[in-house]
Every structure is written in C-alpha cells, then in structure tokens.
Amino acid sequence: MSRYNFANWPKPEFKNRTIAESGYNTDIISGINSAFFPAVAMTRGMAQSFKGASRLASAFNVWQFVKTTVPYKKDPEGLQMIKLPSRLLHERELGGDCKSMTLLCSSLLKNLGYPIVIRYTSYSADPTPSHVYCVTYEKDGTPIIVDAVYKAFNKEVPYRHKRDYLMKLK
C-alpha cells in the first residue's frame, strides 16, 4: 500500500446530497451516472499510480487496490448512499458498497484513457438492477470486468438482466 500516498489525494467535502427521498432504482442509476464526471475530475491526479503494462494489468491494479483497501459494506436498510472517491478513500475503514466502489474503479480507469461501461445487473426474473460494476475493454474489444465486490478479477456472476451505460466525458 506504500505506493499510494493518501495524504496527497483530494479531501472530501463531507456533503450529503439527497438524490431522491424514496431512492427508486432509476434515481440510483441517475445518481451514479451523474456522479461519474465529478469522480473522474477527483481521481485525475491519482490514476497514473495504477498504470500497468497493459489495459488488463491496469484494470487488475485498480480492482486489487479497491478490493483490498475498501471493505464491502452494504448500505443500511432503507438508505442508499453514493460516496464520491475522495470520501470513500478518506473513510475507507467504514467500507463502501458496489455503487461507491464502481465510481472509484471506473473513474480511475477513465483517467487512464480506457473506455468505461457502467453495468447494472439483476440476478432474478425481476429486471430491476440489484448490483453495479464497471467494464472496460481491450483495444480489440475484449471486455475486462472490474467488480471490486466479486471475489475474482475479470469475472462476473451470471446475470439474468443487464443495462450498460457507456460513460463518455462531456
């Protein structure tokens, strides 16, 4: 962990913003997708720490860092929180869920110049997404799965339904 100097990373503002009182799934998707751009700006200075010899190696570095630095912790019942990367890293011992981990992974990889898709998945007959993670791609189009919640790199739990959002910078 010594190669990552947390002291030089952006400090969080500790502002809580309510996206929607009810926290419907569409509100959560909108919240994550709209938080992507501030997350990219926030992680610009730290992304080069994760640069590997290939896209696969870089994606592994990001996955391993998030997986080993931020413990997974589900949001409290009835509450949906999305932590921007600075807050997630500052409060890393408190953990984060798939939404916050996805923002961190995807923003770091976007800053390395890689294409990013944020993937929302469902594992039941109900198509309402229950999980989110990011996917980047090799130059030949081969997907690289970066799900810091899952136990294995470049693997995903077989899903029944998915929604992919290609994240393009404005």
Side-chain angles (χ1 to χ4, degrees):
M1 183 130 54
S2 61
R3 80 185 246 197
Y4 309 109
N5 183 356
F6 289 103
N8 294 329
W9 291 14
K11 300 289 185 242
E13 295 179 5
F14 296 104
K15 292 180 181 175
N16 293 326
R17 182 173 62 103
T18 302
I19 294 168
E21 290 295 328
S22 57
Y24 289 113
N25 204 272
T26 54
D27 300 321
I28 295 165
I29 291 171
S30 174
I32 294 169
N33 289 357
S34 66
F36 177 75
F37 302 106
V40 169
M42 188 175 291
T43 59
R44 191 164 288 124
M46 60 183 88
Q48 288 305 312
S49 301
F50 300 95
K51 184 78 170 159
S54 65
R55 286 185 183 189
L56 186 67
S58 297
F60 176 78
N61 292 343
V62 167
W63 175 84
Q64 183 178 47
F65 170 74
V66 177
K67 181 102 180 132
T68 60
T69 303
V70 181
Y72 173 77
K73 185 173 182 189
K74 187 177 180 180
D75 284 340
E77 190 65 35
L79 184 62
Q80 290 292 328
M81 298 182 296
I82 301 170
K83 293 181 183 179
L84 287 171
S86 61
R87 187 167 188 176
L88 182 64
L89 291 171
H90 186 78
E91 299 177 338
R92 60 191 172 277
E93 68 282 349
L94 299 177
D97 70 352
C98 60
K99 299 180 303 292
S100 301
M101 291 176 162
T102 295
L103 269 180
L104 178 55
C105 291
S106 62
S107 64
L108 289 167
L109 292 167
K110 188 65 172 177
N111 276 310
L112 292 175
Y114 305 152
I116 296 297
V117 163
I118 294 184
R119 176 168 289 168
Y120 298 88
T121 56
S122 165
Y123 303 94
S124 68
D126 180 356
T128 304
S130 59
H131 185 51
V132 60
Y133 51 95
C134 75
V135 179
T136 189
Y137 296 88
E138 294 280 12
K139 289 180 182 177
D140 68 2
T142 303
I144 303 170
I145 309 301
V146 184
D147 182 353
V149 173
Y150 194 56
K151 63 186 175 190
F153 171 68
N154 202 18
K155 304 279 185 207
E156 60 191 340
V157 175
Y159 48 79
R160 298 268 308 267
H161 305 276
K162 73 170 176 146
R163 295 184 201 170
D164 283 350
Y165 292 81
L166 178 62
M167 304 310 291
K168 294 182 179 179
L169 293 178
K170 296 177 184 178

